[in-house]
Tab-separated table of all heavy atoms in Angstrom:
chain	number	residue	atom	x	y	z
B	1394	GLU	N	96.547	109.610	91.019
B	1394	GLU	CA	95.990	110.365	89.897
B	1394	GLU	C	96.951	110.394	88.717
B	1394	GLU	O	96.541	110.221	87.572
B	1394	GLU	CB	95.645	111.789	90.358
B	1394	GLU	CG	94.524	111.760	91.374
B	1394	GLU	CD	94.132	113.131	91.894
B	1394	GLU	OE1	94.667	114.134	91.430
B	1394	GLU	OE2	93.270	113.180	92.792
B	1412	LEU	N	92.560	102.933	97.139
B	1412	LEU	CA	92.322	104.271	97.684
B	1412	LEU	C	91.982	104.140	99.157
B	1412	LEU	O	92.760	104.463	100.036
B	1412	LEU	CB	91.117	104.898	96.997
B	1412	LEU	CG	91.318	105.670	95.737
B	1412	LEU	CD1	89.977	106.074	95.200
B	1412	LEU	CD2	92.158	106.873	96.015
B	1423	ALA	N	82.160	103.750	92.579
B	1423	ALA	CA	82.139	105.193	92.336
B	1423	ALA	C	82.828	105.517	91.023
B	1423	ALA	O	82.345	106.334	90.234
B	1423	ALA	CB	82.821	105.924	93.487
B	1557	ALA	N	79.620	121.958	109.598
B	1557	ALA	CA	79.895	120.708	108.891
B	1557	ALA	C	79.628	120.858	107.397
B	1557	ALA	O	80.390	120.380	106.567
B	1557	ALA	CB	79.048	119.583	109.468
B	1558	ILE	N	78.556	121.584	107.055
B	1558	ILE	CA	78.244	121.772	105.639
B	1558	ILE	C	79.299	122.640	104.992
B	1558	ILE	O	79.829	122.335	103.931
B	1558	ILE	CB	76.851	122.405	105.480
B	1558	ILE	CG1	75.789	121.421	105.954
B	1558	ILE	CG2	76.606	122.802	104.045
B	1558	ILE	CD1	74.405	122.006	105.975
B	1560	GLY	N	82.297	123.079	105.869
B	1560	GLY	CA	83.572	122.381	105.790
B	1560	GLY	C	83.578	121.237	104.809
B	1560	GLY	O	84.584	120.544	104.689
B	1561	GLY	N	82.463	121.005	104.147
B	1561	GLY	CA	82.439	119.969	103.121
B	1561	GLY	C	82.421	118.567	103.672
B	1561	GLY	O	82.725	117.618	102.965
B	1562	LEU	N	82.082	118.420	104.946
B	1562	LEU	CA	82.051	117.074	105.510
B	1562	LEU	C	80.957	116.254	104.846
B	1562	LEU	O	79.986	116.804	104.332
B	1562	LEU	CB	81.819	117.152	107.019
B	1562	LEU	CG	83.095	117.169	107.855
B	1562	LEU	CD1	84.034	118.242	107.387
B	1562	LEU	CD2	82.785	117.360	109.309
B	1563	SER	N	81.127	114.950	104.863
B	1563	SER	CA	80.138	114.125	104.194
B	1563	SER	C	80.029	112.797	104.922
B	1563	SER	O	80.838	112.477	105.781
B	1563	SER	CB	80.531	113.907	102.738
B	1563	SER	OG	81.809	113.366	102.672
B	1564	GLY	N	79.016	112.066	104.551
B	1564	GLY	CA	78.844	110.734	105.116
B	1564	GLY	C	78.407	110.771	106.565
B	1564	GLY	O	77.768	111.723	107.011
B	1567	LEU	N	78.858	113.990	108.612
B	1567	LEU	CA	77.915	115.072	108.327
B	1567	LEU	C	76.564	114.776	108.968
B	1567	LEU	O	75.961	115.634	109.619
B	1567	LEU	CB	77.754	115.211	106.809
B	1567	LEU	CG	76.779	116.257	106.301
B	1567	LEU	CD1	77.289	117.640	106.604
B	1567	LEU	CD2	76.567	116.115	104.813
B	1576	ILE	N	73.553	110.608	99.918
B	1576	ILE	CA	73.549	110.645	98.458
B	1576	ILE	C	72.711	109.509	97.891
B	1576	ILE	O	72.130	109.627	96.818
B	1576	ILE	CB	74.992	110.618	97.935
B	1576	ILE	CG1	75.700	111.869	98.445
B	1576	ILE	CG2	75.053	110.594	96.429
B	1576	ILE	CD1	77.157	111.881	98.227
B	1648	TYR	N	81.355	114.464	86.577
B	1648	TYR	CA	81.603	114.242	87.989
B	1648	TYR	C	80.571	113.240	88.478
B	1648	TYR	O	79.375	113.472	88.360
B	1648	TYR	CB	81.490	115.557	88.766
B	1648	TYR	CG	81.687	115.393	90.256
B	1648	TYR	CD1	82.950	115.142	90.762
B	1648	TYR	CD2	80.624	115.461	91.137
B	1648	TYR	CE1	83.153	114.974	92.120
B	1648	TYR	CE2	80.809	115.292	92.499
B	1648	TYR	CZ	82.079	115.053	92.981
B	1648	TYR	OH	82.279	114.862	94.322
B	1649	GLY	N	81.030	112.108	88.942
B	1649	GLY	CA	80.107	111.094	89.452
B	1649	GLY	C	80.432	110.816	90.893
B	1649	GLY	O	81.589	110.853	91.297
B	1650	ARG	N	79.405	110.554	91.689
B	1650	ARG	CA	79.659	110.348	93.106
B	1650	ARG	C	78.701	109.318	93.659
B	1650	ARG	O	77.602	109.126	93.131
B	1650	ARG	CB	79.504	111.654	93.873
B	1650	ARG	CG	78.102	112.242	93.705
B	1650	ARG	CD	77.919	113.464	94.555
B	1650	ARG	NE	76.516	113.835	94.639
B	1650	ARG	CZ	76.043	114.679	95.545
B	1650	ARG	NH1	76.839	115.231	96.414
B	1650	ARG	NH2	74.766	114.973	95.579
B	1651	ILE	N	79.126	108.663	94.719
B	1651	ILE	CA	78.217	107.782	95.445
B	1651	ILE	C	78.419	108.020	96.931
B	1651	ILE	O	79.354	108.700	97.346
B	1651	ILE	CB	78.456	106.288	95.123
B	1651	ILE	CG1	79.818	105.846	95.635
B	1651	ILE	CG2	78.293	105.996	93.664
B	1651	ILE	CD1	79.945	104.347	95.684
B	1655	LYS	N	82.510	106.112	104.012
B	1655	LYS	CA	83.129	107.213	104.734
B	1655	LYS	C	82.573	108.561	104.313
B	1655	LYS	O	82.885	109.571	104.922
B	1655	LYS	CB	84.620	107.191	104.485
B	1655	LYS	CG	85.235	105.886	104.938
B	1655	LYS	CD	86.649	106.060	105.353
B	1655	LYS	CE	87.120	104.932	106.225
B	1655	LYS	NZ	86.991	103.592	105.643
B	1656	GLY	N	81.782	108.578	103.265
B	1656	GLY	CA	81.224	109.842	102.823
B	1656	GLY	C	81.135	109.889	101.312
B	1656	GLY	O	81.160	108.859	100.650
B	1657	GLU	N	81.038	111.113	100.816
B	1657	GLU	CA	80.849	111.270	99.384
B	1657	GLU	C	82.134	110.960	98.649
B	1657	GLU	O	83.116	111.690	98.746
B	1657	GLU	CB	80.411	112.710	99.077
B	1657	GLU	CG	80.396	113.002	97.597
B	1657	GLU	CD	80.043	114.446	97.287
B	1657	GLU	OE1	79.482	115.116	98.162
B	1657	GLU	OE2	80.332	114.886	96.169
B	1658	LEU	N	82.120	109.877	97.908
B	1658	LEU	CA	83.280	109.534	97.104
B	1658	LEU	C	82.968	109.893	95.671
B	1658	LEU	O	82.045	109.356	95.068
B	1658	LEU	CB	83.575	108.039	97.231
B	1658	LEU	CG	84.740	107.531	96.403
B	1658	LEU	CD1	86.023	108.211	96.816
B	1658	LEU	CD2	84.878	106.045	96.549
B	1659	GLY	N	83.702	110.853	95.137
B	1659	GLY	CA	83.402	111.315	93.788
B	1659	GLY	C	84.621	111.224	92.892
B	1659	GLY	O	85.754	111.169	93.360
B	1660	PHE	N	84.361	111.155	91.608
B	1660	PHE	CA	85.445	111.159	90.636
B	1660	PHE	C	85.160	112.254	89.619
B	1660	PHE	O	84.063	112.328	89.084
B	1660	PHE	CB	85.538	109.811	89.925
B	1660	PHE	CG	86.186	108.746	90.751
B	1660	PHE	CD1	85.470	108.091	91.736
B	1660	PHE	CD2	87.508	108.415	90.567
B	1660	PHE	CE1	86.070	107.115	92.501
B	1660	PHE	CE2	88.109	107.436	91.342
B	1660	PHE	CZ	87.392	106.782	92.309
B	1661	HIS	N	86.136	113.099	89.405
B	1661	HIS	CA	86.017	114.109	88.360
B	1661	HIS	C	86.905	113.680	87.208
B	1661	HIS	O	88.127	113.591	87.357
B	1661	HIS	CB	86.463	115.475	88.906
B	1661	HIS	CG	86.516	116.536	87.851
B	1661	HIS	ND1	87.460	117.525	87.829
B	1661	HIS	CD2	85.729	116.754	86.773
B	1661	HIS	CE1	87.265	118.297	86.778
B	1661	HIS	NE2	86.216	117.860	86.136
B	1673	TYR	N	92.082	112.912	85.885
B	1673	TYR	CA	91.431	111.914	86.723
B	1673	TYR	C	91.598	112.419	88.137
B	1673	TYR	O	92.716	112.518	88.637
B	1673	TYR	CB	92.143	110.585	86.501
B	1673	TYR	CG	91.771	109.462	87.425
B	1673	TYR	CD1	90.902	108.471	87.022
B	1673	TYR	CD2	92.312	109.383	88.690
B	1673	TYR	CE1	90.580	107.432	87.866
B	1673	TYR	CE2	91.997	108.357	89.541
B	1673	TYR	CZ	91.130	107.381	89.124
B	1673	TYR	OH	90.819	106.350	89.956
B	1674	HIS	N	90.503	112.816	88.748
B	1674	HIS	CA	90.621	113.375	90.091
B	1674	HIS	C	89.657	112.663	91.023
B	1674	HIS	O	88.520	112.396	90.661
B	1674	HIS	CB	90.301	114.868	90.061
B	1674	HIS	CG	90.255	115.499	91.418
B	1674	HIS	ND1	91.395	115.785	92.131
B	1674	HIS	CD2	89.225	115.881	92.196
B	1674	HIS	CE1	91.049	116.316	93.299
B	1674	HIS	NE2	89.740	116.388	93.363
B	1675	VAL	N	90.138	112.360	92.196
B	1675	VAL	CA	89.303	111.712	93.191
B	1675	VAL	C	88.896	112.741	94.220
B	1675	VAL	O	89.728	113.520	94.677
B	1675	VAL	CB	90.070	110.582	93.894
B	1675	VAL	CG1	89.137	109.793	94.769
B	1675	VAL	CG2	90.753	109.700	92.905
B	1676	ARG	N	87.632	112.730	94.576
B	1676	ARG	CA	87.191	113.557	95.687
B	1676	ARG	C	87.190	112.652	96.918
B	1676	ARG	O	86.297	111.843	97.121
B	1676	ARG	CB	85.791	114.093	95.429
B	1676	ARG	CG	85.324	115.059	96.486
B	1676	ARG	CD	84.087	114.559	97.189
B	1676	ARG	NE	83.586	115.608	98.074
B	1676	ARG	CZ	83.535	115.494	99.394
B	1676	ARG	NH1	83.926	114.398	99.974
B	1676	ARG	NH2	83.071	116.464	100.129
B	1677	PRO	N	88.228	112.747	97.723
B	1677	PRO	CA	88.370	111.780	98.813
B	1677	PRO	C	87.623	112.223	100.060
B	1677	PRO	O	87.945	113.257	100.639
B	1677	PRO	CB	89.873	111.787	99.066
B	1677	PRO	CG	90.330	113.130	98.595
B	1677	PRO	CD	89.320	113.707	97.676
B	1678	PRO	N	86.614	111.482	100.488
B	1678	PRO	CA	85.905	111.899	101.696
B	1678	PRO	C	86.814	111.949	102.918
B	1678	PRO	O	86.676	112.849	103.748
B	1678	PRO	CB	84.817	110.835	101.857
B	1678	PRO	CG	85.207	109.713	100.988
B	1678	PRO	CD	86.040	110.276	99.905
B	1679	SER	N	87.760	111.037	103.006
B	1679	SER	CA	88.606	111.028	104.196
B	1679	SER	C	89.388	112.329	104.336
B	1679	SER	O	89.527	112.860	105.427
B	1679	SER	CB	89.599	109.877	104.145
B	1679	SER	OG	88.941	108.655	104.235
B	1680	LEU	N	89.912	112.828	103.228
B	1680	LEU	CA	90.701	114.061	103.314
B	1680	LEU	C	89.810	115.235	103.696
B	1680	LEU	O	90.142	116.018	104.578
B	1680	LEU	CB	91.381	114.347	101.965
B	1680	LEU	CG	92.063	115.708	101.872
B	1680	LEU	CD1	93.284	115.762	102.753
B	1680	LEU	CD2	92.456	116.048	100.451
B	1681	ILE	N	88.674	115.345	103.031
B	1681	ILE	CA	87.863	116.536	103.230
B	1681	ILE	C	87.186	116.495	104.598
B	1681	ILE	O	86.958	117.535	105.209
B	1681	ILE	CB	86.884	116.688	102.056
B	1681	ILE	CG1	87.727	116.816	100.789
B	1681	ILE	CG2	86.004	117.901	102.211
B	1681	ILE	CD1	86.991	116.693	99.532
B	1682	ASN	N	86.919	115.285	105.107
B	1682	ASN	CA	86.362	115.219	106.453
B	1682	ASN	C	87.350	115.708	107.503
B	1682	ASN	O	86.962	115.972	108.638
B	1682	ASN	CB	85.932	113.791	106.782
B	1682	ASN	CG	84.642	113.417	106.081
B	1682	ASN	OD1	84.015	114.266	105.445
B	1682	ASN	ND2	84.251	112.173	106.182
B	1684	THR	N	88.980	118.460	107.202
B	1684	THR	CA	89.098	119.912	107.112
B	1684	THR	C	88.847	120.580	108.452
B	1684	THR	O	89.513	121.541	108.808
B	1684	THR	CB	88.084	120.446	106.081
B	1684	THR	OG1	88.255	119.704	104.886
B	1684	THR	CG2	88.298	121.905	105.807
B	1711	GLU	N	93.270	106.995	101.168
B	1711	GLU	CA	92.362	107.900	100.498
B	1711	GLU	C	92.707	109.349	100.822
B	1711	GLU	O	92.519	110.239	99.998
B	1711	GLU	CB	90.941	107.591	100.969
B	1711	GLU	CG	89.881	108.241	100.177
B	1711	GLU	CD	88.539	107.735	100.650
B	1711	GLU	OE1	88.100	108.126	101.730
B	1711	GLU	OE2	87.965	106.938	99.929
B	1714	ARG	N	96.166	109.601	98.823
B	1714	ARG	CA	96.085	108.983	97.499
B	1714	ARG	C	97.465	108.745	96.892
B	1714	ARG	O	98.037	109.479	96.182
B	1714	ARG	CB	95.236	109.824	96.549
B	1714	ARG	CG	93.775	109.602	96.819
B	1714	ARG	CD	92.985	110.800	96.458
B	1714	ARG	NE	93.412	111.889	97.296
B	1714	ARG	CZ	93.599	113.133	96.889
B	1714	ARG	NH1	93.405	113.445	95.667
B	1714	ARG	NH2	93.980	114.058	97.726
C	435	TYR	N	77.492	123.895	99.453
C	435	TYR	CA	78.386	122.759	99.652
C	435	TYR	C	79.325	122.648	98.453
C	435	TYR	O	78.912	122.210	97.382
C	435	TYR	CB	77.510	121.506	99.785
C	435	TYR	CG	78.214	120.251	100.212
C	435	TYR	CD1	78.642	120.083	101.517
C	435	TYR	CD2	78.417	119.216	99.316
C	435	TYR	CE1	79.263	118.919	101.918
C	435	TYR	CE2	79.035	118.043	99.712
C	435	TYR	CZ	79.444	117.900	101.009
C	435	TYR	OH	80.053	116.743	101.405
C	436	ALA	N	80.568	123.075	98.636
C	436	ALA	CA	81.551	122.917	97.571
C	436	ALA	C	82.176	121.561	97.761
C	436	ALA	O	83.046	121.374	98.595
C	436	ALA	CB	82.596	124.006	97.625
C	437	SER	N	81.689	120.621	96.980
C	437	SER	CA	82.093	119.257	97.254
C	437	SER	C	83.521	118.986	96.813
C	437	SER	O	84.336	118.514	97.578
C	437	SER	CB	81.116	118.338	96.528
C	437	SER	OG	81.549	117.044	96.604
C	438	ASP	N	83.805	119.324	95.581
C	438	ASP	CA	85.055	118.858	95.016
C	438	ASP	C	85.781	120.019	94.345
C	438	ASP	O	85.164	120.830	93.673
C	438	ASP	CB	84.739	117.761	93.994
C	438	ASP	CG	85.916	117.423	93.127
C	438	ASP	OD1	86.782	116.697	93.608
C	438	ASP	OD2	85.981	117.896	91.986
C	439	VAL	N	87.065	120.097	94.569
C	439	VAL	CA	87.875	121.098	93.894
C	439	VAL	C	89.009	120.364	93.212
C	439	VAL	O	89.682	119.553	93.845
C	439	VAL	CB	88.481	122.108	94.892
C	439	VAL	CG1	89.257	123.172	94.146
C	439	VAL	CG2	87.409	122.729	95.752
C	440	SER	N	89.184	120.610	91.933
C	440	SER	CA	90.339	119.973	91.315
C	440	SER	C	90.976	120.929	90.332
C	440	SER	O	90.365	121.889	89.884
C	440	SER	CB	89.949	118.659	90.630
C	440	SER	OG	88.989	118.893	89.660
C	453	HIS	N	82.970	121.739	92.101
C	453	HIS	CA	81.661	121.109	91.939
C	453	HIS	C	80.804	121.493	93.127
C	453	HIS	O	81.104	121.123	94.252
C	453	HIS	CB	81.802	119.596	91.833
C	453	HIS	CG	82.396	119.169	90.535
C	453	HIS	ND1	83.724	118.923	90.380
C	453	HIS	CD2	81.837	118.969	89.317
C	453	HIS	CE1	83.956	118.584	89.121
C	453	HIS	NE2	82.829	118.605	88.459
C	455	PHE	N	77.206	121.826	95.249
C	455	PHE	CA	75.903	121.213	95.508
C	455	PHE	C	75.179	122.067	96.521
C	455	PHE	O	75.777	122.915	97.183
C	455	PHE	CB	76.071	119.801	96.075
C	455	PHE	CG	76.603	118.811	95.095
C	455	PHE	CD1	77.964	118.681	94.905
C	455	PHE	CD2	75.750	118.018	94.365
C	455	PHE	CE1	78.456	117.756	93.994
C	455	PHE	CE2	76.242	117.094	93.459
C	455	PHE	CZ	77.590	116.971	93.276
C	488	SER	N	85.492	124.062	102.785
C	488	SER	CA	85.883	122.750	102.281
C	488	SER	C	86.931	122.848	101.186
C	488	SER	O	87.590	121.867	100.872
C	488	SER	CB	84.665	122.024	101.738
C	488	SER	OG	84.006	122.826	100.798
C	492	GLN	N	91.793	121.172	99.483
C	492	GLN	CA	91.793	120.818	98.068
C	492	GLN	C	92.499	121.877	97.241
C	492	GLN	O	93.143	121.576	96.246
C	492	GLN	CB	90.367	120.631	97.595
C	492	GLN	CG	89.615	119.662	98.472
C	492	GLN	CD	88.315	119.250	97.846
C	492	GLN	OE1	88.293	118.610	96.815
C	492	GLN	NE2	87.228	119.631	98.455
C	495	GLU	N	96.031	121.273	97.672
C	495	GLU	CA	96.459	120.141	96.860
C	495	GLU	C	96.687	120.578	95.414
C	495	GLU	O	97.682	120.212	94.788
C	495	GLU	CB	95.405	119.037	96.925
C	495	GLU	CG	95.815	117.807	96.179
C	495	GLU	CD	94.690	116.788	96.093
C	495	GLU	OE1	93.983	116.617	97.091
C	495	GLU	OE2	94.534	116.198	95.028
Side-chain angles (χ1 to χ4, degrees):
Chain B
E1394 294 179 4
L1412 272 175
I1558 293 174
L1562 267 53
S1563 55
L1567 178 68
I1576 298 170
Y1648 178 73
R1650 59 175 193 165
I1651 66 165
K1655 301 209 160 57
E1657 171 183 342
L1658 178 61
F1660 283 79
H1661 174 216
Y1673 171 101
H1674 174 76
V1675 188
R1676 185 241 187 244
S1679 293
L1680 172 69
I1681 300 168
N1682 285 354
T1684 309
E1711 192 174 74
R1714 281 152 297 138
Chain C
Y435 189 73
S437 172
D438 167 79
V439 183
S440 59
H453 288 95
F455 291 85
S488 54
Q492 307 192 65
E495 183 188 320

